[in-house]
Amino acid sequence: MTVTAPPRPPRRLSDPVERDEFEALVEALIEEARQRARRRRRAYMAVAAFLTLGAAAIFTLLDRTAEAQTASPALGAPSSLSAASKQRVEITAGGVNGPTSSGKFLLTPIGAGGLATDSGTETSIVRNERFVVRQGQSAKIVTWITTAKGKHGSFVLRVPIEHIDAGNGFHIGTGTWTFVRGTGAYADATGGGRVSNAWSEMSGRWSERRDGYLTVR
């Protein structure tokens, strides 16, 4: 004869929990707390790694920027060395007077710069001339084109001079000179200045001095 046990009634919420079940529940809660702590640590480590990589990238960028700024003056040095230098010069010349005047010149640097002392021959031709009268004094304004050939190169000057009769066969003049073009040491030069001139009808000779600045690139 088989006797069937009646079914066990379901546990109510108010029923006391057995010790084993309570300990299992506590262990489950502890394990869940541990897992949450591990997840938080992994998240913190990921954030820390991200921040470390970001900081390293920023420091690398700053270092490269500093290196570029430090290198810039060095890279710019050739430019500063090749920059144009303005140099004061004196050019004295003398020769025989005439429509086509020939003579010799001496270029002397007065200040520091790229040009050295030079000498050679020069020829001047009249580009144009005109006469003026100021307060009863007559003057002849002549524009000379002077081509000079020296040891370091050649150059061409435009020299307008106002010539005045000083009496007794002497003439004086003042004006300006402008550098037109050049070769050799004067290839890229620019500049100009003032000029004074004197010549004698009796000897037919003239003397001239040109003071100014030449800029050599």
Side-chain angles (χ1 to χ4, degrees):
M1 179 175 176
T2 302
V3 179
T4 303
R8 196 175 201 181
R11 175 175 292 173
R12 292 173 297 179
L13 295 177
S14 59
D15 292 343
V17 179
E18 294 182 1
R19 181 180 182 83
D20 293 341
E21 293 179 354
F22 178 77
E23 292 179 353
L25 178 60
V26 171
E27 288 293 335
L29 292 175
I30 293 174
E31 181 61 26
E32 184 177 356
R34 289 174 179 171
Q35 291 179 0
R36 289 179 181 176
R38 285 194 292 268
R39 287 195 293 268
R40 282 196 298 269
R41 284 197 297 270
R42 286 195 293 267
Y44 294 154
M45 292 176 62
V47 172
F50 176 78
L51 293 176
T52 302
L53 291 176
I58 292 173
F59 289 143
T60 300
L61 179 61
L62 292 176
D63 289 340
R64 290 181 179 177
T65 303
E67 290 176 359
Q69 292 176 348
T70 304
S72 296
L75 294 175
S79 298
S80 62
L81 292 176
S82 61
S85 59
K86 189 175 182 180
Q87 185 176 15
R88 185 182 173 192
V89 297
E90 170 193 300
I91 306 173
T92 55
V96 179
N97 190 43
T100 300
S101 179
S102 61
K104 295 182 179 181
F105 81 92
L106 172 64
L107 184 150
T108 305
I110 304 299
L115 295 177
T117 301
D118 198 3
S119 62
T121 60
E122 67 174 47
T123 303
S124 299
I125 61 173
V126 176
R127 171 60 58 86
N128 57 63
E129 61 182 15
R130 61 190 178 91
F131 292 88
V132 297
V133 177
R134 297 190 181 93
Q135 298 179 338
Q137 183 184 66
S138 298
K140 182 169 69 171
I141 301 175
V142 181
T143 299
W144 300 89
I145 302 299
T146 299
T147 302
K149 297 180 179 180
K151 298 179 178 64
H152 306 308
S154 63
F155 54 87
V156 177
L157 306 178
R158 183 178 183 274
V159 190
I161 299 177
E162 184 173 308
H163 297 276
I164 299 173
D165 189 342
N168 298 313
F170 293 96
H171 298 258
I172 59 174
T174 59
T176 60
W177 64 274
T178 304
F179 191 93
V180 179
R181 61 181 178 273
T183 64
Y186 313 100
D188 297 318
T190 59
R194 298 288 303 176
V195 59
S196 59
N197 173 283
W199 65 278
S200 169
E201 293 178 359
M202 293 174 288
S203 65
R205 300 191 65 83
W206 59 271
S207 178
E208 189 167 295
R209 172 170 169 161
R210 308 158 193 144
D211 295 284
Y213 292 91
L214 285 177
T215 300
V216 181
R217 301 183 185 280

